[in-house]
């Protein structure tokens, strides 16, 4: 054994000194332990990395689920209506019978259809599996014609509903032949009688509150905003702040004189002869009326709540000789006026209410054999001046005499719709000034019967006022819905739905 050990030592180069050869310096154990420790560290590092990776993935998944359940349809939130870098988009029309007034809680603009040029035709999708052609008729005002907007059956149903509801005479009748009308005030009362009626305390003096108390007249039969402004300006100029009979006579006679104030002539001379009624289009109304309202929403591309909260459908019948002189459907805005449709949230200090109609959609419910055209006397004129409406002694607003001189005249054809904007844009996506070129009237019917309907979309030029009105309607709607759940059956007033 010692021999074998010696041979081994010789092979390993052991020279007999106290130090072992280099190859015998604990080579195997030290090397083996080093390899084992490195493997353990690699496995531990891998486990730690994988744990952190899985935790990160779980955190991402949890975050996505949190965002989904807080912004999704579960809590009633509506999807975003504003496209990146572009104007807000209108909300789609609601499918349910509820009034989706929450649309107003979002910021939105009023879309406008591009006219491109007169004669331009564009395709619009209003009903399933069909497209309609929409032709630009003028650019001032922006006016479109859409043939086949209503079917023959829909026209018949609307006419029958109007007959069932009952039609009333318009408040202004054509004067008898030979009667003077050019400079006659709309009231048959003398200035002294008007003064006495306004003088509530009969002290012989008119104060501001006495005048304002009688100024809320939407049809302008007493005072329109321009007349009222003239009277109040004179009152404020008086040192006493009150008007005597002589002061009132001077300013009142001027305010009633046609052509003295802006739009005064048009208002003083506006006359019409027809019969009309109003048809409710909300929940509980005939399905054809609700369908037409949804179709108007699709055509105008406006938020559905804006259309739903506008005026009912006005249906008009023109018989032989019936007409309406040229007029504007909407009114210019003034600080002392408020919109009739937002009066629930209106300015209490406003002196009078006016119609605020962003656009008009007119339906022809029947064709007319002769006459009855819708005329736009000054459409696409270079400029608009009210004085220019009288040419060579002829008043272009008098459709009885000058209907054939209108720049644009459209013959009634059953099922055709017209759309025009009564207001310009304010440059920020909201309703601006009144478009004076939207002046229009109805030519006398010469032969046949003319049925038509007006669908107006009401918008307050004051965006904040419109928003306040919307919030108030939403609160009342929720309150009414809550009461209906607790009180059954409905009251008579709830059951009595307008046609």
């Amino acid at each position: 054994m010692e021999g074998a050990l010696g041979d081994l030592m010789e092979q390993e180069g052991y020279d007999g000194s106290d130090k072992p050869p280099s190859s015998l310096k604990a080579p195997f154990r030290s090397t083996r332990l080093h390899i084992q420790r490195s493997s353990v560290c690699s496995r531990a590092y891998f486990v730690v990395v994988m744990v952190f990776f899985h935790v990160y993935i779980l955190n991402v998944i949890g975050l996505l689920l949190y965002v989904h359940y807080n912004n999704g349809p579960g809590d009633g939130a509506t999807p975003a209506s504003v496209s990146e870098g572009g104007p807000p988009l209108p909300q789609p029309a609601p499918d349910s019978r509820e009034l989706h007034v929450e649309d107003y809680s979002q910021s939105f603009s009023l879309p406008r259809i591009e006219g491109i040029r007169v004669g331009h035709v564009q395709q619009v999708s209003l009903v399933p599996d069909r497209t309609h052609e929409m032709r630009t008729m003028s650019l001032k005002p922006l006016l479109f014609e859409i043939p086949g907007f209503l079917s023959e059956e829909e026209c018949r149903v609307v006419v029958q509903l109007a007959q069932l509801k009952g039609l009333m005479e318009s408040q202004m009748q054509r004067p008898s032949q030979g009667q003077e009308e050019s400079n006659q005030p709309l009231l048959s009362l003398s200035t002294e009688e008007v003064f006495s009626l306004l003088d509530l305390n009969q002290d012989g003096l008119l104060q501001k509150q006495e005048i304002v108390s009688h100024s809320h007249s939407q049809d302008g039969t007493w005072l329109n905003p321009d007349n009222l402004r003239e009277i109040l300006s004179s009152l404020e100029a008086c040192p006493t702040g009150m008007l005597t009979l002589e002061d009132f006579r001077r300013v009142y006679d001027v305010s009633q004189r046609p052509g003295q104030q802006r739009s005064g002539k048009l208002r003083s001379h506006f006359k019409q002869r027809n019969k009309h009624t109003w048809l409710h289009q909300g929940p509980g109304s005939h399905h054809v009326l609700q369908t037409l309202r949804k179709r108007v929403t699709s055509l105008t591309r406006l938020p559905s709540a804006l259309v739903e909260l506008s005026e009912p459908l006005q249906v008009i019948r023109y018989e032989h000789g019936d007409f309406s002189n040229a007029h504007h459907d909407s009114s210019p805005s003034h600080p002392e006026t408020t919109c009739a449709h937002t009066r629930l949230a209106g300015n209490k200090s406003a002196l009078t209410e006016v119609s605020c109609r962003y656009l008009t959609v007119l339906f022809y419910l029947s064709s007319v054999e002769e006459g009855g055209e819708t005329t736009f006397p000054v459409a696409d004129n270079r400029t608009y001046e009210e004085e220019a409406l009288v040419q060579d002694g002829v008043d272009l607003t008098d459709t009885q005499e000058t209907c054939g001189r209108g720049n644009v005249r459209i013959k009634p054809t059953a099922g055709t719709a017209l759309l025009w904007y009564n207001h310009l844009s304010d440059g920020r996506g909201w309703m601006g000034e009144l478009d004076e070129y939207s002046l229009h009237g109805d030519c006398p019917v010469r032969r046949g019967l003319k049925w038509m309907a007006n669908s107006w979309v009401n918008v307050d030029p004051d965006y904040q006022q419109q928003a306040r009105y919307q919030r108030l309607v939403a609160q009342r709607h929720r309150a009414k819905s809550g009461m209906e759940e607790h009180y059954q059956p409905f009251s008579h007033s709830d059951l009595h739905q307008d046609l």
Side-chain angles (χ1 to χ4, degrees):
M1 181 176 179
E2 291 180 355
L5 181 58
D7 293 338
L8 178 60
M9 294 175 64
E10 286 183 359
Q11 293 176 4
E12 293 295 329
Y14 182 69
D15 58 356
S17 63
D18 294 335
K19 297 180 180 181
S22 58
S23 61
L24 296 179
K25 293 180 181 179
F28 299 104
R29 179 176 299 178
S30 176
T31 301
R32 184 169 60 254
L33 290 176
H34 176 72
I35 294 174
Q36 290 175 349
R37 287 174 183 171
S38 175
S39 298
V40 171
C41 290
S42 297
R43 286 194 297 272
Y45 178 78
F46 177 78
V47 170
V48 170
V49 169
M50 293 302 295
V51 169
F52 274 103
F53 178 78
H54 283 79
V55 171
Y56 174 79
I57 294 298
L58 291 175
N59 285 337
V60 171
I61 295 174
L63 180 61
L64 293 176
L65 291 175
Y66 175 82
V67 171
H68 173 74
Y69 284 106
N70 280 273
N71 292 336
D75 64 349
T78 55
S81 63
V82 180
S83 58
E84 185 176 354
L89 300 176
Q91 298 294 323
D95 293 328
S96 67
R97 293 178 57 194
E98 278 192 36
L99 185 62
H100 286 242
V101 292
E102 292 79 4
D103 290 349
Y104 266 130
S105 63
Q106 305 179 13
S107 175
F108 59 85
S109 62
L110 299 175
R112 292 176 71 90
I113 304 172
E114 293 293 334
I116 311 299
R117 66 183 181 279
V118 175
H120 176 74
V121 177
Q122 49 189 306
Q123 304 293 326
V124 291
S125 179
L126 304 174
V127 295
D129 304 324
R130 183 187 172 187
T131 59
H132 288 76
E133 289 188 349
M134 182 168 61
R135 181 183 300 274
T136 302
M137 304 301 292
S138 80
L139 298 177
K140 296 189 304 181
L142 197 52
L143 168 66
F144 304 93
E145 181 184 41
I146 309 98
F149 187 87
L150 291 83
S151 67
E152 182 179 344
E153 174 66 14
E154 289 171 334
C155 291
R156 184 184 62 82
V157 169
V158 175
V159 169
Q160 290 178 342
L161 289 172
Q163 291 174 322
L164 181 62
K165 174 74 178 295
L167 290 87
M168 65 185 76
E169 298 280 353
S170 56
Q171 76 271 14
M172 299 181 190
Q173 296 292 322
R174 182 175 63 179
S176 60
Q177 194 171 13
Q179 178 182 351
E180 291 294 330
E181 59 171 331
S182 58
N183 290 315
Q184 294 297 321
L186 294 176
L187 290 179
S188 60
L189 302 176
S190 66
T191 303
E192 290 76 11
E193 290 173 322
V194 172
F195 182 89
S196 178
L197 291 173
L198 293 178
D199 188 10
L200 300 179
N201 57 9
Q202 294 295 296
D203 62 351
L205 296 171
L206 284 187
Q207 301 176 355
K208 180 178 180 180
Q209 57 266 30
E210 291 177 319
I211 297 176
V212 171
S213 66
H214 287 268
S215 66
H216 296 273
S217 176
Q218 296 184 37
D219 57 14
T221 53
W222 185 68
L223 286 179
N224 62 57
D226 295 314
N227 304 146
L228 184 61
R229 188 183 305 107
E230 177 72 16
I231 294 176
L232 292 179
S233 298
S234 299
L235 185 145
E236 294 171 357
C238 292
T240 60
M242 295 179 286
L243 294 177
T244 65
L245 175 58
E246 291 302 318
D247 295 330
F248 180 75
R249 179 183 287 112
R250 183 178 62 256
V251 66
Y252 179 70
D253 290 346
V254 171
S255 70
Q256 293 294 95
R257 195 171 302 148
Q260 293 297 315
Q261 300 297 321
R262 178 179 178 83
S263 298
K265 183 176 73 63
L266 294 183
R267 289 177 178 271
S268 298
H269 278 78
F270 174 64
K271 291 179 173 60
Q272 60 178 337
R273 191 174 74 181
N274 55 53
K275 294 182 180 180
H276 69 279
T277 191
W278 302 86
L279 297 180
H280 172 68
Q281 292 184 276
S285 63
H286 196 282
H287 72 90
V288 168
L289 298 178
Q290 297 189 53
T291 299
L292 290 182
R293 189 175 65 178
K294 292 179 180 179
R295 202 171 298 164
V296 168
T297 303
S298 300
L299 174 66
T300 61
R301 307 169 191 174
L302 292 169
S304 57
L306 200 62
V307 179
E308 291 173 5
L309 294 178
S310 295
E311 297 171 65
L313 185 71
Q314 184 192 41
V315 181
I316 309 176
R317 184 180 71 185
Y318 292 86
E319 300 176 358
H320 177 76
D322 287 355
F323 69 100
S324 69
N325 280 356
H327 60 281
H328 294 107
D329 279 352
S330 191
S331 306
S333 60
H334 299 295
E336 60 270 19
T337 63
T338 186
C339 293
H341 78 280
T342 55
R343 60 184 178 272
L344 292 176
N347 180 10
K348 299 303 181 182
S349 63
L351 302 179
T352 186
E353 296 175 355
V354 296
S355 298
C356 301
R357 296 161 172 168
Y358 177 57
L359 58 79
T360 299
V361 181
L362 182 153
F363 311 132
Y364 291 124
L365 303 175
S366 68
S367 300
V368 180
E369 297 179 43
E370 183 180 350
E373 298 91 347
T374 301
T375 177
F376 292 79
V378 295
D380 285 330
N381 270 7
R382 285 189 176 183
T383 58
Y384 177 88
E385 295 179 358
E386 191 165 292
E387 295 76 13
L389 291 173
V390 180
Q391 299 178 1
D392 302 325
V394 178
D395 188 350
L396 295 181
T397 65
D398 185 358
T399 59
Q400 293 179 274
E401 303 296 333
T402 63
C403 186
R405 298 180 61 170
N407 288 354
V408 174
R409 298 186 305 277
I410 302 174
K411 184 176 178 61
T413 303
T416 296
L418 303 181
L419 182 154
W420 68 85
Y421 293 91
N422 297 307
H423 286 260
L424 304 172
S425 173
D426 66 350
R428 296 173 294 178
W430 199 244
M431 188 167 88
E433 297 180 354
L434 177 71
D435 188 347
E436 294 175 318
Y437 293 92
S438 65
L439 186 71
H440 66 283
D442 296 277
C443 301
V445 174
R446 302 303 181 191
R447 189 169 58 184
L449 194 65
K450 175 183 175 181
W451 284 90
M452 55 166 281
N454 288 314
S455 178
W456 288 299
V457 178
N458 300 127
V459 178
D460 197 308
D462 185 344
Y463 178 87
Q464 299 300 327
Q465 181 110 320
Q466 183 75 43
R468 286 193 297 270
Y469 166 67
Q470 178 55 35
R471 287 193 294 269
L472 180 60
V473 172
Q475 293 170 2
R476 294 193 175 192
H477 177 68
R478 286 192 291 267
K480 182 179 179 181
S481 298
M483 292 180 62
E484 289 176 350
E485 292 177 359
H486 292 87
Y487 296 96
Q488 297 290 342
F490 294 102
S491 65
H492 173 72
S493 60
D494 292 322
L495 291 173
H496 183 68
Q497 290 284 357
D498 218 353
L499 285 175

